[in-house]
Amino acid sequence: MAETARTVIIEENGGPEALKLVDWPVGEPGPGEIRIRHKACGLNFIDCYQRSGLYPLQLPHALGMEAAGVIEAVGEGVTHLAPGDRAAYAATPPGAYTEARVMPAAQVCKLPEDISFEEGAAMMLKGLTVQYLFHRTTPLKKGDTVLFHAAAGGVGLIACQWAKSEGIRLIGTAGSDEKCQLALDHGADACINYNTEDFTKRTRELTDGKGVDVVMDSIGASTFIGSLDCLKPLGMMISFGNASGPVEAFNLGILAQKGSLKVTRPTLFAHIADPAACQEMAAMLFGKVSSGAVKIRIDQRFPLAEVAEAHRALEARKTTGQTILTLE
């Protein structure tokens, strides 16, 4: 085993130019840990938040939250994985932008043979996010209606297919007609171009004035208040990202005025903190992909050395579907 691996780190917060490719020590797994050699790494908005300092890290720190590869070694007490296993994960601490790493084993999942390493790297964080949005945040049933922002993004295209597979009506939003069509092609019932239409007004029209049961919003500041106006009374607002910036403080009384609405700000890592829950969630995700109900669309591939360009494309909203970093 090589003593170091090419790894992307930051030594200070900043823009994509802060990303550095260095030789980083790997080491041997201790109790409860594994060593994994990656075949591909996933790219997510949380990586940009950590790079910029919105989500602080103790620096210097490696970045990246998901990847897929082959288990090289396991530490004492690890029983669900063995050397040679194909595996994928979305997990803390950050450090997935690398050729190989030692990390906690609890959130690392055995990857089915019929799912490729690239798919595994692209789907774990986003797919597990969709799983908790639809199954662990608020009760959803066949016939319910969801408004999903950024429906042509990595999480969104999985959500469109997931909703269709469960008989849930999904109304998406996106920033162009082309992206709207992509969401429709993946199972959205309707999609609103928020650059040419008022998404609140259009959502009300599409629901005969009633509003939706749930809003799933990863955009944040620019869509939050408008999203509340899309909900029917007693509806649930799930704010799970900050692509346009964090949501500012607001008067809780607004929720009463708009129909006794509910609001939550979940994170994936709270949901997968329990190892058994993580494995159960992953099993459901793998089942959706293996059955063909959810197809993982990888539209952008960047070599690890071009990670800064990948971040620029993601932050400029020039990406669709999934984006991965390649290692071979």
Side-chain angles (χ1 to χ4, degrees), residues 79-93:
T79 58
H80 69 292
L81 295 165
D85 282 349
R86 304 169 78 253
Y89 66 85
T92 57

Side-chain angles (χ1 to χ4, degrees), residues 14-326:
E17 69 281 353
L19 298 164
K20 295 184 176 181
L21 185 62
V22 302
D23 291 326
W24 198 252
V26 179
E28 295 293 331
E33 294 181 330
I34 55 96
R35 187 176 71 240
I36 184 170
R37 183 154 297 275
H38 291 154
K39 299 293 186 180
C41 314
L43 190 77
N44 297 281
F45 254 106
I46 191 173
D47 308 341
C48 301
Y49 302 154
Q50 290 169 342
R51 187 207 72 228
S52 71
L54 179 63
Y55 294 175
L57 297 174
Q58 185 174 347
L59 303 180
H61 210 297
L63 289 187
M65 305 297 289
E66 68 177 342
V70 177
I71 303 298
E72 289 190 330
V74 302
E76 181 183 352
V78 177
T79 58
H80 69 292
L81 295 165
D85 282 349
R86 304 169 78 253
Y89 66 85
T92 57
Y97 291 178
T98 184
E99 294 174 320
R101 69 183 295 200
V102 168
M103 63 180 293
Q107 279 72 43
V108 181
C109 305
K110 195 169 181 179
L111 186 67
E113 291 288 340
D114 61 350
I115 299 176
S116 72
F117 288 118
E118 288 197 347
E119 290 172 322
M123 68 188 253
M124 292 300 287
L125 193 146
K126 304 170 194 73
L128 291 174
T129 295
V130 173
Q131 198 280 342
Y132 86 68
L133 289 173
F134 279 82
H135 292 275
R136 294 172 61 88
T137 309
T138 191
L140 278 169
K141 62 185 184 301
K142 184 177 180 179
D144 284 346
T145 301
V146 168
L147 176 65
F148 201 101
H149 289 296
V155 179
L157 291 185
I158 295 175
C160 289
Q161 298 172 81
W162 200 292
K164 186 175 182 180
S165 75
E166 299 191 350
I168 293 167
R169 183 189 184 197
L170 187 144
I171 299 170
T173 72
S176 70
D177 290 343
E178 291 76 17
K179 286 188 174 184
C180 283
Q181 188 59 53
L182 194 58
L184 294 170
D185 292 343
H186 284 73
D189 183 78
C191 194
I192 303 161
N193 181 344
Y194 56 72
N195 283 320
T196 59
E197 291 188 278
D198 180 331
F199 75 82
T200 301
K201 179 181 178 182
R202 184 63 180 139
T203 299
R204 285 285 173 180
E205 291 173 351
L206 289 166
T207 57
D208 298 323
K210 297 175 182 176
V212 300
D213 298 283
V214 178
V215 175
M216 299 178 180
D217 186 352
S218 64
I219 303 301
S222 67
T223 52
F224 183 79
I225 296 300
S227 293
L228 295 180
D229 289 326
C230 294
L231 286 164
K232 62 175 58 172
L234 309 182
M236 167 67 85
M237 171 71 181
I238 307 174
S239 177
F240 69 101
N242 317 284
S244 68
V247 175
E248 295 182 355
F250 68 98
N251 180 356
L252 278 176
I254 291 174
L255 303 180
Q257 296 165 15
K258 294 182 182 294
S260 297
L261 305 180
K262 294 161 284 193
V263 176
T264 185
R265 179 56 175 91
T267 67
L268 170 63
F269 299 104
H271 283 279
I272 64 173
D274 177 73
C278 178
Q279 298 295 327
E280 290 173 7
M281 293 167 66
M284 178 177 282
L285 171 60
F286 293 152
K288 292 281 188 185
V289 175
S290 294
S291 71
V294 172
K295 293 180 171 60
I296 305 302
R297 179 184 175 120
I298 301 171
D299 286 348
Q300 297 81 212
R301 292 172 172 83
F302 293 86
L304 186 65
E306 296 179 13
V307 62
E309 290 303 312
H311 273 230
R312 290 186 183 100
L314 186 64
E315 290 182 300
R317 300 189 189 180
K318 292 181 178 179
T319 64
T320 55
Q322 322 295 332
T323 304
I324 63 168
L325 303 174
T326 59

